[in-house]
Amino acid sequence: MAEDSRRRGASALGPLLLAVIFLAVLGGGVGFSLGTLSKHQRNAAATQGNGTANNGADNGTDNGTGNGNGSGGGNGSGTGGGQNDKKRCPPHTEAQAGAGELTQVLYLHTAQSEVWICKDGSGTLYYQGHTGAPGEDLQEKVNALFLTDVQKEGDNGYVATNTDPSGAITKYHVKPKRLVKEYLNYQSPKPSVTENSVD
């Protein structure tokens, strides 16, 4: 009788041992998968934010108006209406900056002009203005204006400053839906000009 109960105990132990091994393998696989997923999410977050501190200028998000044409930079205030593929700035702008690849932070198209706010890998901002129709070749000081004095302005705007040799200052206030040109220290006072987005 004792031998018979040992056999029953041993025969019940086999399926129990198999179930424990199966659950251990299954738990290990789930743990490995979750760990890998977490690692990929951390890497994606680090890549999206570029891993640089730029005084809160961007955190890898597009905080645009949400109803734009998809032309925002995807990396700051833009008209893109959501994340996009970090569209590059025009080759002319990259050549003027001499800082390698530039990505759009904001693009604005008005009836009179186009404006790009661009950013290099270190977070430095650049302004590129163009008077004329989209698609034209940019020619500096003919139909294009490149500026390096660019600052964040408010939640979703930027201001670029151009000072000419006479001391006259033009400030270009750029927001997702509007460009305001402010003229300061001109010999003959000039009123500000506003250009609204046509997109």
Side-chain angles (χ1 to χ4, degrees), residues 71-118:
S71 61
N75 216 17
S77 299
T79 61
Q83 293 297 331
N84 61 35
D85 60 357
K86 294 186 180 183
K87 192 170 181 179
R88 283 180 69 172
C89 286
H92 170 86
T93 311
E94 290 183 347
Q96 292 291 315
E101 185 176 313
L102 302 179
T103 55
Q104 287 184 19
V105 176
L106 186 148
Y107 171 79
L108 174 66
H109 176 211
T110 73
Q112 296 83 19
S113 58
E114 295 177 282
V115 174
W116 292 264
I117 300 295
C118 304

Side-chain angles (χ1 to χ4, degrees), residues 76-176:
S77 299
T79 61
Q83 293 297 331
N84 61 35
D85 60 357
K86 294 186 180 183
K87 192 170 181 179
R88 283 180 69 172
C89 286
H92 170 86
T93 311
E94 290 183 347
Q96 292 291 315
E101 185 176 313
L102 302 179
T103 55
Q104 287 184 19
V105 176
L106 186 148
Y107 171 79
L108 174 66
H109 176 211
T110 73
Q112 296 83 19
S113 58
E114 295 177 282
V115 174
W116 292 264
I117 300 295
C118 304
K119 181 173 70 171
D120 67 18
S122 68
T124 301
L125 296 171
Y126 303 92
Y127 170 96
Q128 179 67 67
H130 168 238
T131 301
E136 289 181 347
D137 285 339
L138 302 182
Q139 299 173 26
E140 196 61 26
K141 302 211 184 327
V142 175
N143 68 354
L145 177 65
F146 173 80
L147 299 172
T148 58
D149 184 357
V150 183
Q151 305 296 320
K152 187 108 169 82
E153 184 175 54
D155 290 338
N156 64 350
Y158 299 86
V159 60
T161 304
N162 184 32
T163 304
D164 72 21
S166 70
I169 298 170
T170 305
K171 291 191 174 222
Y172 299 88
H173 302 272
V174 186
K175 292 198 172 214

